[in-house]
Amino acid sequence: MDGLKKDIVFVDSCIFIREHYFKRNNRLNTLVQLHEAGLLDFISTDITINEVQKHFINDIKSIYSSLIRNNNELQKKGVELSLNIDPKLDICKYCNDIFSKFIRKTATFVIPYGELTNIEHIFAKYFKQEAPFSIGKKDEFPDAFALGLLEAYCQKYKLGKIIILSEDNDLKNYKSPYLEYKDYKQYITEKSAEKSTLDSIAQILKDEANGYIEIIKEDLSELLMDGDIYVNLLQSTDINDIDIKSIDVNVKTNDYSIVRQTEDYYILEVPVDISFDVEIEYVDYTYATYDKEDHVWYNEEIEHYIASNHRTIAMPLSYHKAKNEQQPFITMEDFDIEDALDGMA
């Protein structure tokens, strides 16, 4: 971590949503760790704080209401679960308390609305369709005013540059002498490790890529031979044969990112592209009839179906730092290979 300067960072509202807000061990928590290590300070605006709070409260309200409904349905069917659900829970207060704790823990400085005294340049960008405004997009005024507040405050107090952490291309294209856009995943990756560590990680990943591919192929092959995973797809439990036609795995080692770190290791995520085709022979009862006396089906048909999928999953790895005479090494963490089945058709 030596040699990394202390930054002032603004976290775009979309990052809270994409990282599932305050989920344990997500990238937002890694930013908190970097702050606690003295490597960065947080800055935000009243506009952004209110926007994040709104999304957070609405999302939690929706989930909690669904939980209550599902619990009531279970009780109607005689199923009692100790979920400790309180229908009278004040979700707004509960969420606000969580969010306030985050603001205090990160010592986030929140720029008030009043710091923006000139809005002429914002409307000039709007009429010219300049970032953060763009053709075909609406509701960009909150972003525009938030960026205006950051610029005004940075200029007034001579902060140098504020780093904008986001994945929004409109923010990326925003031109300002006071603001510097950075992809938040890449920023956390670079800020969380020294260059020598990054080089070491890249080399080990390159050396071990084929091994990861073989492990994933082996685990996926075993999963694809389980007939139970095709029951809902085929609407049939009678599967005669499963023939795996192809499995393609591409471990994108160059696109890895650091999720979090401890004193002894880094937790990495490596995107893995997975494609497969499987031919299934099964019994189709769509037009069949059942003879209750003979206990047999008539007119059932033998059908063949090609199940396939292409998706990208995140493979978790642990990079263990050099210790004493032990050289750094990487181990594969447990992950659910069933994620590769999502969207299978």
Side-chain angles (χ1 to χ4, degrees):
M1 303 293 290
D2 295 339
L4 296 180
K5 64 184 180 69
K6 189 171 186 177
D7 296 327
I8 299 175
V9 302
F10 167 81
V11 182
D12 188 18
S13 57
C14 70
I15 305 307
F16 287 84
I17 297 170
R18 295 185 185 185
E19 287 297 314
H20 304 289
Y21 301 102
F22 309 110
K23 177 183 175 182
R24 183 177 299 176
N25 294 331
N26 64 4
R27 291 180 177 85
L28 202 58
N29 280 294
T30 302
L31 284 173
V32 175
Q33 291 178 356
L34 293 171
H35 164 72
E36 292 173 342
L39 295 171
L40 61 85
D41 285 330
F42 289 86
I43 194 168
S44 193
T45 71
D46 272 334
I47 297 170
T48 310
I49 295 300
N50 289 331
E51 183 180 10
V52 174
Q53 281 182 308
K54 181 192 74 173
H55 286 297
F56 182 47
I57 290 172
N58 288 342
D59 285 353
I60 300 305
K61 272 185 175 180
S62 176
I63 295 170
Y64 200 69
S65 297
S66 177
L67 189 62
I68 292 174
R69 288 195 301 271
N70 290 336
N71 188 57
N72 289 337
E73 289 299 316
L74 288 171
Q75 290 179 345
K76 290 177 182 178
K77 295 173 174 59
V79 178
E80 296 285 342
L81 299 179
S82 56
L83 298 179
N84 195 27
I85 297 175
D86 180 8
K88 297 181 180 179
L89 177 67
D90 188 341
I91 292 293
C92 290
K93 181 179 183 306
Y94 189 82
C95 292
N96 283 330
D97 288 345
I98 293 175
F99 195 81
S100 296
K101 182 179 179 181
F102 173 81
I103 297 298
R104 290 193 303 270
K105 186 176 183 180
T106 58
T108 299
F109 181 80
V110 181
I111 304 173
Y113 293 102
E115 285 292 338
L116 186 61
T117 57
N118 183 0
I119 62 174
E120 181 179 347
H121 67 290
I122 293 176
F123 281 91
K125 288 180 179 293
Y126 171 72
F127 290 119
K128 293 178 181 178
Q129 290 293 292
E130 295 178 355
F133 303 101
S134 61
I135 298 174
K137 292 192 69 175
K138 300 179 179 179
D139 304 325
E140 294 301 326
F141 272 100
D143 282 343
F145 279 97
L147 294 172
L149 275 169
L150 292 169
E151 284 184 305
Y153 193 83
C154 190
Q155 182 180 20
K156 181 178 180 179
Y157 295 98
K158 304 184 187 313
L159 296 182
K161 285 195 174 183
I162 294 175
I163 293 176
I164 307 298
L165 299 182
S166 182
E167 277 192 334
D168 189 330
N169 283 329
D170 287 324
L171 269 63
K172 179 179 181 180
N173 296 325
Y174 188 85
K175 305 300 182 184
S176 170
Y178 306 105
L179 309 179
E180 181 180 0
Y181 172 92
K182 286 186 179 290
D183 175 89
Y184 84 102
K185 292 181 181 179
Q186 187 62 32
Y187 174 83
I188 292 172
T189 296
E190 293 174 350
K191 201 69 178 178
S192 295
E194 299 174 8
K195 186 177 184 302
S196 60
T197 300
L198 296 176
D199 291 341
S200 175
I201 291 173
Q203 186 60 52
I204 296 176
L205 288 176
K206 181 180 179 182
D207 294 341
E208 299 294 334
N210 289 335
Y212 302 144
I213 291 172
E214 290 306 313
I215 291 172
I216 293 171
K217 282 187 174 181
E218 182 177 341
D219 291 347
L220 184 57
S221 294
E222 182 178 346
L223 177 63
L224 293 175
M225 293 303 295
D226 181 0
D228 290 343
I229 67 174
Y230 307 108
V231 170
N232 290 333
L233 183 65
L234 305 175
Q235 297 299 306
S236 175
T237 58
D238 289 348
I239 294 175
N240 296 335
D241 185 56
I242 299 172
D243 182 13
I244 299 175
K245 296 297 185 181
S246 66
I247 295 178
D248 294 312
V249 177
N250 177 27
V251 177
K252 304 171 75 172
T253 55
N254 291 334
D255 296 333
Y256 82 92
S257 60
I258 294 174
V259 178
R260 63 185 178 90
Q261 66 170 307
T262 70
E263 184 178 353
D264 298 318
Y265 60 87
Y266 292 97
I267 296 296
L268 315 175
E269 272 187 2
V270 178
V272 179
D273 290 335
I274 296 178
S275 301
F276 61 80
D277 291 287
V278 182
E279 183 175 359
I280 307 138
E281 181 183 283
Y282 68 101
V283 181
D284 185 358
Y285 294 98
T286 303
Y287 303 104
T289 57
Y290 183 69
D291 190 320
K292 294 182 179 179
E293 293 183 1
D294 297 334
H295 303 291
V296 294
W297 286 92
Y298 294 100
N299 300 320
E300 69 270 29
E301 298 179 345
I302 301 299
E303 297 287 351
H304 291 83
Y305 186 89
I306 300 293
S308 61
N309 204 16
H310 176 82
R311 63 178 284 103
T312 300
I313 65 174
M315 177 176 64
L317 302 169
S318 292
Y319 172 84
H320 299 264
K321 303 174 185 178
K323 192 173 184 179
N324 300 326
E325 296 182 0
Q326 174 72 56
Q327 293 298 311
F329 63 96
I330 291 180
T331 58
M332 182 185 290
E333 297 296 309
D334 291 335
F335 71 104
D336 195 353
I337 192 63
E338 290 190 11
D339 289 345
L341 303 181
D342 288 350
M344 179 175 66

